[in-house]
Amino acid sequence: MKADRLLSILLLLQTRERISHVELAEHLEVSVRTVYRDVEALSAAGVPVWTERGRSGGVRLLPGYRTDVTGLTHDEARALFVLATEGTHDALGLGEAIRSALRKVMAALPAPHRGEAERTSERVLVDPARWMHGIETASDAHLAELQHAAFTDCRLQLTYRSGDAREPRSHTVDPYGLVSKAGVWYLVADRDGEPRLFRADRVLAAEVTDEPVHRRPGQNLATVWALLRERFESLPDGIRVRCRVRREQLEIFQRLFASQLVAPPHPMDDGWARAELALRELPDVRGVLSMGAAVEVLDPPEARAELAAVSTELAALYGARA
């Protein structure tokens, strides 16, 4: 829309002394001719903007023409630009919105704070993804439906595969909202009046119904999430797994399983290191297969049996194709 372009030009000019017409055209994804017309429209509306021609020319604003944000402290200005990586916003379809919002904030900042805020955005990056994991996986394809149900206060029909279930199940849930934790999206919802947590990457199908959501009185996303998080973190360790790790692969092992290590691995004289993992459930032990023969599970026996069964299935699969 033209109004959006005019506002974008004005905000950009408030952050830069001069911008060429070509640069503005590329940024706004319009022609240079359109930029000239937009600048003329700003001038006709009373904005003190003018054009200088030539190689060093461009579009300028009258010095001092800007809007200050009153009451914004130095630390508050910096804090606004310490944001999560763009992938989190992109997953919700808000990537361009956050970039536009930051441009507006930058344009409105008092001059003494602007440089420091810009340096903060260049020096600090918050990446919520775990090592070796992407922000969004192919299984997050239903995130849009989950978001739509939460925003429109509608019930959801889910086809969901739990971590310990062999077959997916269908659930009708009442969503409170979405939570992104360590790069993983979760749906916080009630199922049959009880709070539940659903990983977005385990949702096989999602359908927003016409039925209004039925949330428990006095509850919201923050309160239900706090309860679920407390329950999860207070669960006793489901299974302790002792294993040995090749010392040359110990660093990457510690990165991958940092949240599950009971204590720092203990190096041995035989080229291996001993480690102990605390897992929620037995199938979680399959994660060590990502390191191949660099990790050997020593006990409990059921953990070794789980890995042996999976390895047999893989050998049969790839052996048959060979």
Side-chain angles (χ1 to χ4, degrees):
M1 295 175 60
K2 183 175 181 179
D4 293 335
R5 289 202 315 272
L6 296 180
L7 180 58
S8 294
I9 292 174
L10 180 57
L11 294 173
L12 286 168
L13 289 175
Q14 288 186 129
T15 63
R16 303 271 293 276
E17 180 181 354
R18 179 190 59 82
I19 307 179
S20 71
H21 292 85
V22 173
E23 187 177 357
L24 276 174
E26 291 176 351
H27 183 85
L28 300 172
E29 298 181 349
V30 296
S31 67
V32 174
R33 185 186 297 272
T34 298
V35 169
Y36 274 103
R37 287 199 298 264
D38 288 346
V39 171
E40 290 177 0
L42 283 173
S43 179
V47 177
V49 59
W50 77 92
T51 298
E52 295 178 346
R53 299 187 179 276
R55 292 187 60 183
S56 60
V59 185
R60 294 176 181 268
L61 266 180
L62 182 69
Y65 182 84
R66 64 184 70 255
T67 302
D68 285 349
V69 176
T70 59
L72 196 63
T73 69
H74 176 267
D75 287 339
E76 289 170 343
R78 293 178 59 199
L80 287 173
F81 288 82
V82 183
L83 297 176
T85 185
E86 293 177 357
T88 304
H89 302 93
D90 289 333
L92 295 175
L94 299 174
E96 181 53 37
I98 189 63
R99 289 185 283 272
S100 176
L102 287 178
R103 286 197 300 268
K104 294 176 181 178
V105 171
M106 179 66 79
L109 283 177
H113 300 337
R114 195 173 304 119
E116 187 66 19
E118 190 169 31
R119 279 190 294 274
T120 298
S121 67
E122 295 172 350
R123 301 293 188 270
V124 180
L125 173 66
V126 179
D127 187 347
R130 297 168 294 167
W131 288 108
M132 306 300 184
H133 288 73
I135 290 291
E136 182 180 3
T137 67
S139 298
D140 286 338
H142 301 291
L143 195 58
E145 286 87 352
L146 304 185
Q147 180 187 188
H148 179 64
F151 280 24
T152 56
D153 296 329
C154 292
R155 303 190 98 182
L156 259 175
Q157 184 71 35
L158 297 181
T159 301
Y160 186 77
R161 185 192 299 275
S162 300
D164 57 350
R166 292 185 176 274
E167 297 294 332
R169 296 180 179 179
S170 295
H171 306 285
T172 299
V173 300
D174 299 295
Y176 287 91
L178 296 169
V179 173
S180 177
K181 184 170 179 63
V184 179
W185 283 102
Y186 294 90
L187 172 71
V188 177
D190 281 349
R191 187 187 69 190
D192 298 327
E194 292 293 326
R196 292 290 186 269
L197 202 59
F198 300 90
R199 280 185 57 144
D201 56 4
R202 291 179 181 171
V203 174
L204 305 181
E207 181 181 354
V208 182
T209 71
D210 295 330
E211 189 176 354
V213 70
H214 301 302
R215 300 186 182 114
R216 285 170 291 124
Q219 299 296 318
N220 56 35
L221 176 61
T223 60
V224 179
W225 167 250
L227 174 64
L228 291 170
R229 184 178 59 188
E230 181 180 0
R231 285 183 182 177
F232 182 83
E233 292 177 346
S234 63
L235 285 174
D237 295 328
I239 181 172
R240 292 291 183 98
V241 172
R242 289 197 313 111
C243 58
R244 63 175 189 161
V245 186
R246 294 191 185 275
R247 294 183 63 171
E248 59 269 22
Q249 298 293 322
L250 188 56
E251 182 178 353
I252 189 171
F253 174 82
Q254 290 178 280
R255 290 180 180 177
L256 289 173
F257 301 98
S259 63
Q260 297 163 316
L261 279 169
V262 175
H266 179 65
M268 307 296 288
D269 296 331
D270 56 0
W272 294 78
R274 298 299 176 97
E276 186 173 357
L277 301 174
L279 306 179
R280 294 293 180 186
E281 51 192 11
L282 186 60
D284 291 341
V285 75
R286 300 176 186 179
V288 303
L289 291 174
S290 63
M291 296 198 63
V295 177
E296 180 189 3
V297 169
L298 302 176
D299 57 49
E302 56 265 30
R304 291 178 61 89
E306 178 76 12
L307 295 179
V310 175
S311 300
T312 299
E313 292 178 6
L314 290 174
L317 175 64
Y318 289 105
R321 291 188 176 182

